[in-house]
Amino acid sequence: MSWTQPRPDTSLTLIDALQLDKNDPIIDVGGGESRLVDYLLQEGFTDITVLDISQTAIDRAKARLGPSSDRVTWIVINVLDFIPSRAYRVWHDRATFHFLTDKHDIEKYVGIVEKSVMEGDLILGTFSMDGPVKCSGLPVKQYDRSSIQQVFGQSFRLTTSAHVDHITPFGTSQSFIFSNLKKKPQ
């Protein structure tokens, strides 16, 4: 699990910059093992959803959070099968989207995000163009500012992006690009 972080500083900084109301709904996609939910709860956010494909990852997060886990909505599903039943103010994805390498899967993901974020932001952390070409033995797609805007540009406007070197638990460096995209008015 090379993508894990003790404290997801970049994600927290991007979320803090949005100056959200503590009741604004946030979804963390692929967040089963992430500690983002821990910090969001500590900061007083009250409407948090964590979506992950792995029941084991969700169970570990619930155990780590203890009784606080009851304050989180947990969804175990492949994001490509997710049918949103509500809108989110923030869709956060650090290290899920870049595993989608098939054009159809990418388009499906974008459609799900468009339906899930009516007014709000997409915070996306993906491997940058000088990042790895594989992760956990799986091929990944690399992105830069231009290609992220191209993929999401029909419904979102790229507001910020930054390169971040993530040091893995194994001591290696992975180059990410973190982006904030704001939903365009309908």
Side-chain angles (χ1 to χ4, degrees):
M1 297 193 330
S2 63
W3 57 87
T4 59
Q5 299 174 294
R7 179 174 163 77
D9 289 320
T10 303
S11 295
L12 290 167
T13 298
L14 289 169
I15 291 169
D16 287 345
L18 298 176
Q19 299 180 344
L20 301 172
D21 183 282
K22 297 299 183 188
N23 297 317
D24 283 340
I26 300 171
I27 185 167
D28 185 18
V29 175
E33 289 286 341
S34 169
R35 295 192 180 260
L36 180 64
V37 65
D38 306 53
Y39 290 99
L40 293 175
L41 287 169
Q42 287 175 16
E43 290 184 14
F45 287 96
T46 62
D47 192 348
I48 305 166
T49 300
V50 176
L51 181 149
D52 200 280
I53 195 169
S54 169
Q55 181 68 57
T56 301
I58 294 288
D59 290 344
R60 286 183 188 148
K62 286 180 175 181
R64 185 181 70 237
L65 289 170
S68 295
S69 69
D70 293 340
R71 298 173 22 216
V72 177
T73 301
W74 303 95
I75 300 173
V76 179
I77 194 167
N78 181 323
V79 68
L80 295 178
D81 297 324
F82 179 54
I83 300 170
S85 61
R86 61 177 304 195
Y88 297 94
R89 172 64 179 78
V90 175
W91 175 289
H92 175 270
D93 174 346
R94 182 194 173 275
T96 296
F97 180 65
H98 60 224
F99 283 104
L100 304 178
T101 58
D102 177 77
K103 182 181 179 195
H104 174 74
D105 289 346
I106 292 168
E107 290 170 353
K108 187 170 184 180
Y109 180 98
V110 170
I112 293 167
V113 174
E114 289 172 343
K115 290 176 188 159
S116 297
V117 180
M118 296 314 222
E119 294 178 25
D121 293 82
L122 163 62
I123 295 175
L124 191 64
T126 65
F127 285 131
S128 69
M129 297 305 277
D130 55 349
V133 296
K134 283 190 167 190
C135 182
S136 300
L138 298 171
V140 296
K141 189 161 175 60
Q142 300 163 311
Y143 290 91
D144 61 14
R145 182 180 174 89
S146 175
S147 57
I148 289 170
Q149 181 60 52
Q150 184 177 8
V151 170
F152 290 96
Q154 183 173 337
S155 296
F156 290 87
R157 176 179 51 85
L158 182 65
T159 59
T160 60
S161 66
H163 286 272
V164 176
D165 288 326
H166 165 64
I167 305 302
T168 71
F170 318 111
T172 59
S173 179
Q174 294 176 332
S175 181
F176 275 77
I177 183 168
F178 277 80
S179 302
N180 181 21
L181 299 101
K182 184 157 292 295
K183 186 77 181 264
K184 294 177 181 176
Q186 302 272 349

